[in-house]
Amino acid sequence: MRAFPRLAATLALTASPAFAGDIPGTEFASGNWVGAAETGSDGRFLDCYISVGYVNGEQLWVGLYGDDSLTVFLSQPGTAFAPGKTYQASLMTEVGYPIHGQAFAVDQNFIAFTIAGLNDGLDFLSQGTYLRLLGVGVDQSFDVRGMGGALAQANACLAVNGRGGKLASAAPAGTPDR
């Protein structure tokens, strides 16, 4: 379920193909959400993420990064994004004001929207029940009930594994990076 979003996150960060992998022992679950810390293809800490899949094939993935940002990735079956294309977009919940910015088509399936300021992004994403990204050709509200608890776990994951925003060397296979 997470293979495409992780590739999307890596592409968005490095602009070159690479694969990410979970750091053993960092996996967690919160309701329908799952998450973990990841390393990039170079074996160094990449992010802590949460992910959820929906029965209709939609996917929502959120990566928390050591540079004080988070990125929301979403996919909707039948939508073909033009890889590399940017869109003026608005990320919103049914509560409060939307966040306006640029969305980026990572590949044909996933679109990404980055929020600078991790704490502001966490507060924003934890406030509603439905999440929408307008301006990218997707007119869908994603049910995000339970995301606040999952984001809290991902933020704790980032605090432990992200070493305060510095890249940490990945531990040998089978050993958590703590």
Side-chain angles (χ1 to χ4, degrees):
M1 174 171 76
R2 295 181 310 264
F4 286 116
R6 285 193 307 218
L7 176 59
T10 304
L11 289 171
L13 290 174
T14 65
S16 65
F19 294 95
D22 290 353
I23 297 173
T26 65
E27 300 87 356
F28 59 88
S30 180
N32 293 332
W33 298 83
V34 296
E38 295 184 296
T39 60
S41 63
D42 62 359
R44 296 173 65 85
F45 174 80
L46 178 64
D47 66 358
C48 286
Y49 71 88
I50 61 170
S51 176
V52 67
Y54 301 90
V55 292
N56 63 358
E58 294 170 340
Q59 292 184 6
L60 181 61
W61 189 93
V62 181
L64 283 62
Y65 303 96
D67 68 353
D68 194 36
S69 71
L70 64 81
T71 300
V72 176
F73 295 86
L74 59 89
S75 172
Q76 183 179 35
T79 304
F81 300 112
K85 183 175 181 180
T86 59
Y87 302 81
Q88 283 302 114
S90 298
L91 188 67
M92 62 184 293
T93 67
E94 75 281 8
V95 182
Y97 295 104
I99 296 176
H100 305 290
Q102 294 261 327
F104 173 80
V106 178
D107 62 20
Q108 288 185 340
N109 300 306
F110 285 92
I111 191 95
F113 188 94
T114 297
I115 301 173
L118 185 60
N119 288 333
D120 290 340
L122 292 171
D123 289 344
F124 176 81
L125 291 175
S126 296
Q127 71 181 341
T129 304
Y130 295 98
L131 183 69
R132 294 179 76 182
L133 182 60
L134 302 175
V136 299
V138 174
D139 187 21
Q140 177 67 31
S141 294
F142 289 79
D143 183 343
V144 293
R145 283 178 278 196
M147 183 164 63
L151 286 170
Q153 287 187 27
N155 194 30
C157 169
L158 182 65
V160 170
N161 296 285
R163 307 280 195 255
K166 297 178 183 173
L167 292 177
S169 296
T175 307
D177 180 26
R178 297 185 190 257

